[in-house]
Amino acid sequence: MSALPVACLLGPTASGKTAAALAFAARHPVEIVSVDSALVYREMDIGTAKPSAEERAAAPHHLIDIIDPADAYSAAQFRADALRLAGEIVARGNVPLLVGGTMLYYKALTQGLNDLPSADAEVRAALDADAARDGWPALHARLAEVDPQTAARLAPNDSQRIQRALEVFMLSGKPMSALLAAPRIQDREAPYRFVPVALEPSDRAVLHKRIEARFDAMLAHGFIDEVRALRARGDLDLSMPSMRCVGYRQAWEYLDGACGYNEMRDKGIFATRQLCKRQLTWLRAMPERVVVDCCAGDATERVVEAVERILGR
């Protein structure tokens, strides 16, 4: 029995994924599965450009607002959830459409997972304490002693990845580079054939303008107040994955008094552009993808047609 094709609408931030997905949903019985590591968090609506209530009413959405910002959600959890949801959606007679820009999630879904230990709160707390005392460059040097291959590709202040690499070594006794080189864990028989449809810009400057306009719109719609409310909870800090989301760190630092409003805005836009660049790098490493120019006036219609071809509709 041949694998069922499932279209995956991927693209960088501000490329028009939501509009294209809803245009397809207007013609077909679709349920959308979010492929986005920021949309999983509750109370984080404005800065994540979460689909509006009206948009979510137009088609069922999954993997949005599923965890608290104090918690973490892994690529392994996403893979398990996405495969389960695809089966449930098909069983209901509907079409699963995966939509998002977290390429690590897509890679985990389609290529399987490395056998890495799960996050450990105690180990992370200990590493955070060491970093607060000695600085992340010192922990980078520690990593270089036990896993020189991973350390060589990380900047000395890349706190998130240095912490994870040290955590993996401390929990497994093996360097992360060795575990990543091992064969991936995959299902014996994948019931689905995931086909990526990539919204990519023919002119990156167009996307940069959209990113700037979107960030300004977020600010105008109360993004700073949203971050202020998250800070007021008292159980969140910048070391958490939720607060590492693009824009949130910059707004938090602004509220800390570490920078002015204009600097915060510029840093937020720059960070979003850097995210966009990383997303495009991931996409362009997928030779099997169907590319649609997100700068084209008929980009939405092109996406709908591409997905219909993939699904044979």
Side-chain angles (χ1 to χ4, degrees), residues 186-240:
Q186 287 182 294
D187 298 330
R188 290 181 182 177
E189 293 183 16
Y192 309 108
R193 177 171 59 87
F194 296 102
V195 184
V197 178
L199 275 163
E200 299 177 23
S202 56
D203 182 357
R204 200 174 293 187
V206 172
L207 204 53
H208 285 179
K209 288 180 180 177
R210 289 188 194 173
I211 287 170
E212 183 175 359
R214 173 183 277 194
F215 198 78
D216 283 338
M218 289 174 179
L219 291 171
H221 285 92
F223 178 45
I224 298 299
D225 287 337
E226 179 173 272
V227 179
R228 185 177 284 114
L230 291 165
R231 282 164 52 91
R233 288 176 35 146
D235 62 341
L236 303 175
D237 61 66
L238 288 179
S239 71
M240 294 177 170

Side-chain angles (χ1 to χ4, degrees), residues 198 200-202 204 277 279-287 289:
E200 299 177 23
S202 56
R204 200 174 293 187
K277 182 179 179 181
Q279 290 170 316
L280 288 171
T281 299
W282 277 89
L283 283 172
R284 287 165 182 165
M286 300 178 192
R289 75 196 189 283

Side-chain angles (χ1 to χ4, degrees), residues 3-88:
L4 183 72
V6 175
C8 305
L9 180 51
L10 308 175
T13 184
S15 58
K17 299 183 293 295
T18 297
L22 292 176
F24 184 79
R27 305 184 194 179
H28 303 278
V30 166
E31 295 188 40
I32 295 170
V33 179
S34 170
V35 188
D36 192 302
S37 60
L39 297 189
V40 298
Y41 296 111
R42 294 186 286 269
E43 301 176 42
M44 295 172 59
D45 302 332
I46 300 170
T48 61
K50 197 169 285 179
S52 66
E54 292 78 14
E55 289 169 333
R56 291 162 72 175
H61 283 64
H62 302 278
L63 302 186
I64 294 177
D65 288 339
I66 59 171
I67 63 168
D68 187 85
D71 299 325
Y73 186 74
S74 69
Q77 288 171 292
F78 167 79
R79 185 173 194 270
D81 286 343
L83 290 171
R84 171 182 57 80
L85 285 165
E88 293 172 358

Side-chain angles (χ1 to χ4, degrees), residues 92-287:
R92 285 192 284 270
N94 292 334
V95 177
L97 178 64
L98 275 64
V99 183
T102 300
M103 306 308 168
L104 180 63
Y105 283 8
Y106 179 78
K107 184 178 181 182
L109 179 65
T110 56
Q111 298 180 24
L113 294 157
N114 296 107
D115 189 17
L116 299 178
S118 300
D120 185 290
E122 290 185 10
V123 170
R124 292 195 169 191
L127 290 169
D128 282 337
D130 289 348
R133 184 185 66 245
D134 303 326
W136 284 107
L139 270 70
H140 183 265
R142 185 192 303 179
L143 178 63
E145 294 177 3
V146 298
D147 189 354
Q149 188 174 337
T150 299
R153 63 180 177 81
L154 299 181
N157 282 305
D158 191 342
S159 58
Q160 184 174 359
R161 291 178 177 84
I162 293 169
Q163 182 188 61
R164 177 57 177 155
L166 284 170
E167 176 187 45
V168 166
F169 180 78
M170 292 166 70
L171 292 171
S172 69
K174 298 177 182 178
M176 189 164 76
S177 55
L179 295 176
L180 290 176
R184 291 174 176 268
I185 299 172
Q186 287 182 294
D187 298 330
R188 290 181 182 177
E189 293 183 16
Y192 309 108
R193 177 171 59 87
F194 296 102
V195 184
V197 178
L199 275 163
E200 299 177 23
S202 56
D203 182 357
R204 200 174 293 187
V206 172
L207 204 53
H208 285 179
K209 288 180 180 177
R210 289 188 194 173
I211 287 170
E212 183 175 359
R214 173 183 277 194
F215 198 78
D216 283 338
M218 289 174 179
L219 291 171
H221 285 92
F223 178 45
I224 298 299
D225 287 337
E226 179 173 272
V227 179
R228 185 177 284 114
L230 291 165
R231 282 164 52 91
R233 288 176 35 146
D235 62 341
L236 303 175
D237 61 66
L238 288 179
S239 71
M240 294 177 170
S242 60
M243 294 302 100
R244 290 175 183 157
C245 290
V246 165
Y248 286 85
R249 173 182 292 275
Q250 292 76 23
W252 188 293
E253 291 173 346
Y254 162 67
L255 291 171
D256 267 346
C259 63
Y261 184 88
N262 290 336
E263 184 182 357
M264 174 276 298
R265 174 189 176 273
D266 291 345
K267 283 184 173 181
I269 291 169
F270 178 77
T272 310
R273 287 178 177 176
Q274 291 299 106
L275 170 63
C276 172
K277 182 179 179 181
R278 292 193 299 272
Q279 290 170 316
L280 288 171
T281 299
W282 277 89
L283 283 172
R284 287 165 182 165
M286 300 178 192

